[in-house]
Amino acid sequence: MAGLYFEEFEDGMVIEHAIRRTITESDNTLFSVMTMNPAALHLDHHYAETETEFGKPLVNSLFTLGLMIGISVHDTTLGTTVANLGMTDVNFPKPLFHGDTVRVETRVIGKRESKSRPTQGIVTFDHVAFNQHGDEVARCRRQALMLKRPAK
């Protein structure tokens, strides 16, 4: 199991995730179609080239959010999370485009024991995604209900 137990997280802990992912046009198209998002901004090259300031399709921001959190899972919550409790403060300061490569850093910004579940605790993460140029492209705060280390 790669994820960390509640006790292993420390306030201020920073994890630079080794997994990186280059986003393809297929990723963006499939995600947009699967989530019923027909926005021309994501799917129509001609529209993006002629009607937007970007000149090319933007990666769907919800794909970016999911990818950012997904990249973090192996080092943080794989096999040790009970549930995501919420995501707040979601921001996309710069756009992503087909061919961009995403890397992610996670900072633990708080933790507390669960009041109603003695074998679990709540960890608050700040996830930040960067493109290959080091530009911040996404950020979110996430709370996860985490397992404590099992008693022996």
Side-chain angles (χ1 to χ4, degrees), residues 8 30 37 41 67 85 89 91 105 107 111 123 130:
E8 296 175 284
L30 181 61
N37 183 341
L41 189 62
L67 179 62
L85 301 177
D89 304 318
N91 296 292
E105 294 177 4
R107 177 181 302 273
K111 69 182 226 180
V123 179
F130 302 90

Side-chain angles (χ1 to χ4, degrees), residues 5-123:
Y5 288 104
F6 173 78
E7 296 87 352
E8 296 175 284
F9 290 105
E10 298 294 332
D11 285 354
M13 176 182 194
V14 176
I15 301 165
E16 295 182 16
H17 304 287
I19 296 172
R20 295 174 183 223
R21 176 77 150 63
T22 300
I23 299 169
T24 67
E25 181 177 1
S26 294
D27 294 328
N28 191 41
T29 300
L30 181 61
F31 185 87
S32 294
V33 170
M34 286 175 49
T35 58
M36 304 295 287
N37 183 341
L41 189 62
H42 304 308
L43 301 172
D44 184 332
H45 280 265
H46 179 72
Y47 172 84
E49 289 171 4
T50 61
E51 302 293 327
T52 75
E53 66 185 90
F54 305 107
K56 54 188 172 182
L58 295 179
V59 171
N60 187 311
S61 59
L62 290 180
F63 176 78
T64 302
L65 176 64
L67 179 62
M68 175 174 62
I69 292 170
I71 286 173
S72 78
V73 166
H74 188 269
D75 299 320
T76 56
T77 61
L78 184 62
T80 56
T81 189
V82 178
N84 279 320
L85 301 177
M87 293 163 209
T88 61
D89 304 318
V90 177
N91 296 292
F92 304 101
K94 293 207 177 212
L96 277 174
F97 303 101
H98 306 153
D100 283 345
T101 299
V102 174
R103 72 176 176 85
V104 177
E105 294 177 4
T106 297
R107 177 181 302 273
V108 176
I109 57 172
K111 69 182 226 180
R112 69 171 179 82
E113 296 196 24
S114 171
K115 295 175 181 138
S116 60
R117 297 175 175 227
T119 62
Q120 299 166 9
I122 297 168
V123 179

